[in-house]
Amino acid sequence: MSKTIRQALAVPYEFPVVFTRDAFDPENPALADILALAPGGPHRLAAVFDQGLLRAFPDLPERLEAYLRARPGALNVAPPLALPGGEAAKNDLSVFHATLEHIFAARLCRQSFLLVAGGGALLDAAGFAAATAHRGVRLIRMPSTALAQNDAGVGVKNAVNFFGRKNFLGTFAPPFAVLSDFAFLDGLPARERRAGLAEAVKIALIKDRAFFDRLHVQRDALGRFEPDPYEHSIERCAELHLEHIATSGDPFEFGSSRPLDFGHWSAHALEEASGGSLGHGEAVAVGVALDSVYSRLAGLLPEADLERILEVLPALGFTPWHAGLDSLDMEAALEAFREHLGGRLFLSLLTGIGSRVEVNAVDFALMRRASDQLRERFA
Amino acid sequence: MSKTIRQALAVPYEFPVVFTRDAFDPENPALADILALAPGGPHRLAAVFDQGLLRAFPDLPERLEAYLRARPGALNVAPPLALPGGEAAKNDLSVFHATLEHIFAARLCRQSFLLVAGGGALLDAAGFAAATAHRGVRLIRMPSTALAQNDAGVGVKNAVNFFGRKNFLGTFAPPFAVLSDFAFLDGLPARERRAGLAEAVKIALIKDRAFFDRLHVQRDALGRFEPDPYEHSIERCAELHLEHIATSGDPFEFGSSRPLDFGHWSAHALEEASGGSLGHGEAVAVGVALDSVYSRLAGLLPEADLERILEVLPALGFTPWHAGLDSLDMEAALEAFREHLGGRLFLSLLTGIGSRVEVNAVDFALMRRASDQLRERFA
Ligand SMILES: NC(=O)c1ccc[n+]([C@@H]2O[C@H](COP(=O)([O-])OP(=O)(O)OC[C@H]3O[C@@H](n4cnc5c(N)ncnc54)[C@H](O)[C@@H]3O)[C@@H](O)[C@H]2O)c1
Ligand SMILES: NC(=O)c1ccc[n+]([C@@H]2O[C@H](COP(=O)([O-])OP(=O)(O)OC[C@H]3O[C@@H](n4cnc5c(N)ncnc54)[C@H](O)[C@@H]3O)[C@@H](O)[C@H]2O)c1
Ligand SMILES: [Zn+2]
Ligand SMILES: [Zn+2]
């Protein structure tokens, strides 16, 4: 009665994630090497810069232009566009729309490059435009915050907020390349540089004991953002995120994927409840501490491991407790987290440093005790 | 100086393309079988219908609801939404936006289904919403025109028009499933049913001699839309499009892909110049005839093959010439076609029925002669 054709496809993606310093120095081949990866060039290129990044480095657009004159790997076809960064870039469609207009005015085609230099929010909004204009132009991301370099800017997603919902509208769309310039981070306030370290601790705890050991040994140098350990922590954190995406078996999260969100259920709730006074990284540091203590109280995590976690976080400049925990409706926060992921609850707990287990329920009395212990020690 | 991580991913897709009749008959398992493909169900479902389809079959929403009550494979969570079909659905963002609101109001998540029944235009606009809401909900396409069933509705793309440019905004996004109900086609005027046959001739000519032989033998029955040959032509045409996508090595067209657009360079121009009086299928029939005669004049296509092509098209009800060819700026039309594809020109010509060659240039004097010959014979 019916006839069925089974269609099967596999779409391969490959992109470099490059860490460098002074990417627009004409002596630095990194960007030229990226442009040369596209066959049949030189192709057209247009750029978008985060206004926050430009406040710290007003001459970046000129330096990009000079670079492309010195190394003509792309046809630089439009005056660079400056757009607001920060969550405002995602809260309405204006940054998305301005990027579409930029792509249209520069007559980019699917072979052309859109280069976007900015924080995770601008990368998300302009990246959504790059992914949908002509069903996708080649996006070169230049992440300019610590979080964007070690997490937000290296993945395969973009999004804007819509109907008041965070990341309601977006796509899965791997970039053509990611080029992280450590010099960009010099423009950031200490608080923003610190924020990225919380994700490094998070991913080390669930994925890589050796990386955690290194963070622990170097914790005081990291707290001072000494370039060597700091940049290494960014590279390794990015690499672990990339590995997770590549090896998860489900990079576009069609199934009920397990994102790398240790400590994030309470972090999201604290961040929201704080009305912006608590940044994402600061909230993640609290959430990581909370779920680590809970893992200990649940008899999963050895005491000595917990101690090392609670040594690292303060040394990096985080306070591993927040008054918001006292008033947090934990049941509601966990339920919101489950709904966000869809399907059944999966929560990561630690069974050691670098090893985790997924649980489907939480003992809220125990979770309260975990919070109480953190208050007693850190408040 | 720089450190590079090479990220490599492969994203697998698999989806059924099902041809049936009376999909909403509770005795018909096809839709239930599709819903059962999603693990962990029943999941939420919301539907969108093409108003043109509903004019022919006003009770479809009720019948879908009755079907889902009889076979509870999904949680039918919202009153079905009726949206305008035809190119108007793509010319602004209102259909896209209304579909997003429908998804939001029905609280669909990434595991939920959006079922869209309609022509290629509505599938494109609502499909773009399905692909971007939550970065993609599960889209079940029910194509309701001949072109949508054999071409537009079976592929991996969606789009809306933007900045006045056809398909400027969209994504590559394979559906969860395609379910084609032949009974839907009974609602179409003859002209729309005929339109789909032009794509069948097109793809038979470049891909499948046996299919063309069958179209040739059955040409009179096809011209009367006799169900057996007509439905077979739709299935086989869809199958060839699907095969091309799966075996092209580049389903998301990252390289300079060769779409299946034999005869389309002039067809696009004629369709545009006619201001809508010439439909896409009718223009494709002219374009196919033109490039076939040109292939003959260029010494590529045997005379006997050309004759059979020029027998089939009129028997199907097409006029293989159009006055617009006389005033057509062929250079400009071909250049617009090249620009649309990006990069160098690749034009398919026939070297026989079912076999083609790609050329990079056209002899416009010869192309004029091809048009003249068609005028003499068919005007
Ligand atoms: N796509 C993903 O996979 C993914 C993953 C995690 C987070 N995110 C998103 O990332 C966003 C957060 O990104 P973020 O932490 O990079 O912050 P951000 O993008 O919000 O930027 C923070 C501030 O820093 C400014 N800025 C950027 N670079 C600067 C520099 N070098 N010097 C001075 N100021 C600079 C910005 O203008 C902004 O005001 C959120 O919207 C989040 O949803 C996305
Ligand atoms: N995404 C792709 O890969 C792809 C490929 C080819 C074409 N397309 C797009 O498809 C569109 C054309 O699609 P189309 O040819 O299906 O036409 P259409 O979607 O424009 O529909 C034509 C008319 O038929 C009506 N209609 C639909 N089903 C009906 C039914 N069963 N009975 C009565 N009326 C019905 C519609 O309301 C509309 O008025 C174009 O926008 C084109 O760009 C997309
Ligand atoms: Zn985080
Ligand atoms: Zn066509």
Side-chain angles (χ1 to χ4, degrees), chain B residues 73-93:
Chain B
L75 307 169
N76 186 21
V77 290
L81 179 67
L83 289 174
E87 204 62 21
K90 295 173 62 172
N91 274 334
D92 63 31
L93 295 183

Side-chain angles (χ1 to χ4, degrees), chain B residues 84-377:
Chain B
E87 204 62 21
K90 295 173 62 172
N91 274 334
D92 63 31
L93 295 183
S94 60
V95 164
F96 167 69
H97 201 273
T99 308
L100 288 179
E101 279 183 337
H102 192 52
I103 291 170
F104 182 70
R107 291 190 293 115
L108 302 192
C109 75
R110 284 174 54 75
Q111 314 297 315
S112 313
F113 301 105
L114 185 77
L115 183 152
V116 183
L122 181 68
L123 291 175
D124 267 1
F128 182 43
T132 51
H134 300 297
R135 303 194 183 100
V137 301
R138 288 170 169 155
L139 174 65
I140 299 177
R141 295 193 200 129
M142 294 192 69
S144 68
T145 68
L147 181 86
Q149 292 191 356
N150 74 7
D151 179 348
V154 302
V156 296
K157 304 193 242 185
N158 57 57
V160 294
N161 310 329
F162 205 68
F163 299 129
R165 286 289 171 89
K166 176 93 175 161
N167 295 335
F168 184 85
L169 206 59
T171 65
F172 285 84
F176 183 79
V178 181
L179 177 56
S180 282
D181 187 335
F182 290 129
F184 284 1
L185 305 187
D186 300 340
L188 291 173
R191 199 177 157 186
E192 286 279 337
R193 279 197 275 174
R194 181 173 304 117
L197 291 170
E199 304 288 351
V201 172
K202 168 206 77 176
I203 204 162
L205 284 176
I206 54 179
K207 289 264 178 182
D208 185 345
R209 185 176 185 105
F211 181 33
F212 181 84
D213 290 345
R214 188 159 172 164
L215 294 173
H216 186 260
V217 168
Q218 301 180 327
R219 63 190 181 277
D220 296 322
L222 282 166
R224 293 186 301 268
F225 312 118
E226 278 183 17
D228 267 12
Y230 184 70
E231 291 168 12
H232 173 269
S233 83
I234 287 189
E235 275 174 24
R236 183 62 189 147
C237 180
E239 192 164 38
L240 288 166
H241 278 108
L242 287 161
E243 254 175 52
H244 179 80
I245 295 168
T247 61
S248 68
D250 185 17
F252 283 9
E253 300 175 17
F254 297 124
S256 38
S257 73
R258 315 277 169 78
L260 295 175
D261 48 15
F262 177 58
H264 275 56
W265 70 273
S266 57
H268 284 308
L270 288 172
E271 198 182 342
E272 256 184 59
S274 81
S277 78
L278 201 65
H280 179 71
E282 292 156 347
V284 167
V286 175
V288 160
L290 182 69
D291 286 359
S292 299
V293 176
Y294 180 89
S295 300
R296 170 76 199 112
L297 292 176
L300 296 167
L301 181 70
E303 178 69 34
D305 284 347
L306 176 64
E307 273 315 301
R308 295 172 72 218
I309 299 170
L310 297 180
E311 277 163 15
V312 163
L313 291 171
L316 300 182
F318 294 110
T319 308
W321 185 75
H322 189 268
L325 279 180
D326 280 341
S327 47
L328 183 66
D329 181 341
M330 289 185 170
E331 281 87 343
L334 198 69
E335 173 57 17
F337 177 78
R338 185 199 63 73
E339 259 190 33
H340 169 72
L341 293 183
R344 198 162 165 211
L345 174 71
F346 283 99
L347 194 75
S348 300
L349 294 178
L350 299 180
T351 53
I353 283 172
S355 65
R356 60 172 165 167
V357 66
E358 308 282 338
V359 299
N360 305 117
V362 155
D363 174 340
F364 288 104
L366 208 62
M367 192 61 86
R368 278 270 152 242
R369 271 179 52 205
S371 171
D372 292 344
Q373 292 194 0
L374 285 172
R375 186 190 332 92
E376 280 155 32
R377 182 153 165 190

Side-chain angles (χ1 to χ4, degrees), chain A residues 151 199 264 280 284:
Chain A
D151 178 348
E199 304 288 350
H264 275 56
H280 180 71
V284 167

